[in-house]
Amino acid sequence: MNFWPPFLGSGISFKVIKQNPLVFKVRLKFSFYNKNYVGVQYGGSLYSMCDPWFMLILMDALGPDFIVWDKASSIKFLKPGKSSVFATFEIAPEQIELIKQDAIKNSKVEPQIDVTIFDDKNQQIAVVTKTLWVKSKRS
């Protein structure tokens, strides 16, 4: 995925920092190509760097008996991003188990998960809230 055109063109890269459950660290370079009109990180690029990760974590953790989709997202900008930024995408095993049990019990569930984006000085730049849609095939 580091060579997927939307990521490559935006300067987004990632690495897996833990398996089972997956944990991703995603970085967005600061460059001419993702600056907005006032010279800070473009909000669309900030959102784009957050798009698939929680869905991928749950798909991997829950396996083929569940359908997982992104349903909605929101972003709250806290301060201008004037450098490269990063975010760590992680879902605690206990939260994954809760989502799994809720999806089995209720057929589907829509968990909301937050991630904070930080700049190179470790200052909070934005918070993204992802709403996922998880359905059990067992129901």
Side-chain angles (χ1 to χ4, degrees):
M1 280 184 56
N2 278 320
F3 298 105
W4 188 45
F7 282 1
L8 190 61
S10 298
I12 297 168
S13 61
F14 80 97
K15 63 181 176 180
V16 175
I17 58 174
K18 184 181 169 204
Q19 299 277 349
N20 201 16
L22 287 169
V23 177
F24 296 101
K25 184 159 187 177
V26 181
R27 180 173 166 75
L28 171 62
K29 287 191 282 188
F30 188 53
S31 72
F32 168 79
Y33 297 107
N34 58 13
K35 279 185 194 178
N36 66 14
Y37 183 76
V38 294
V40 299
Q41 285 280 13
Y42 174 61
S45 294
L46 290 170
Y47 171 76
S48 186
M49 74 179 279
C50 298
D51 189 26
W53 309 110
F54 288 130
M55 182 181 76
L56 294 175
I57 291 167
L58 279 180
M59 288 173 69
D60 183 70
L62 297 175
D65 290 340
F66 294 84
I67 302 167
V68 182
W69 290 99
D70 279 321
K71 182 168 183 175
S73 184
S74 66
I75 187 167
K76 181 178 180 182
F77 301 104
L78 304 174
K79 65 186 307 186
K82 298 179 181 179
S83 68
S84 294
V85 296
F86 68 92
T88 302
F89 295 84
E90 180 173 18
I91 305 174
E94 304 80 31
Q95 188 176 6
I96 291 170
E97 186 59 29
L98 234 166
I99 291 167
K100 179 180 181 178
Q101 294 308 317
D102 282 352
I104 291 169
K105 179 180 174 187
N106 301 311
S107 174
K108 65 181 178 183
V109 65
E110 296 180 3
Q112 289 189 330
I113 306 168
D114 293 337
V115 66
T116 302
I117 301 172
F118 295 91
D119 67 9
D120 282 345
K121 294 179 182 173
N122 218 31
Q123 297 175 337
Q124 294 182 355
I125 299 302
V127 175
V128 174
T129 301
K130 299 286 290 183
T131 301
L132 301 168
W133 184 86
V134 181
K135 179 174 177 41
S136 171
K137 291 181 182 178
R138 298 177 189 177
S139 307

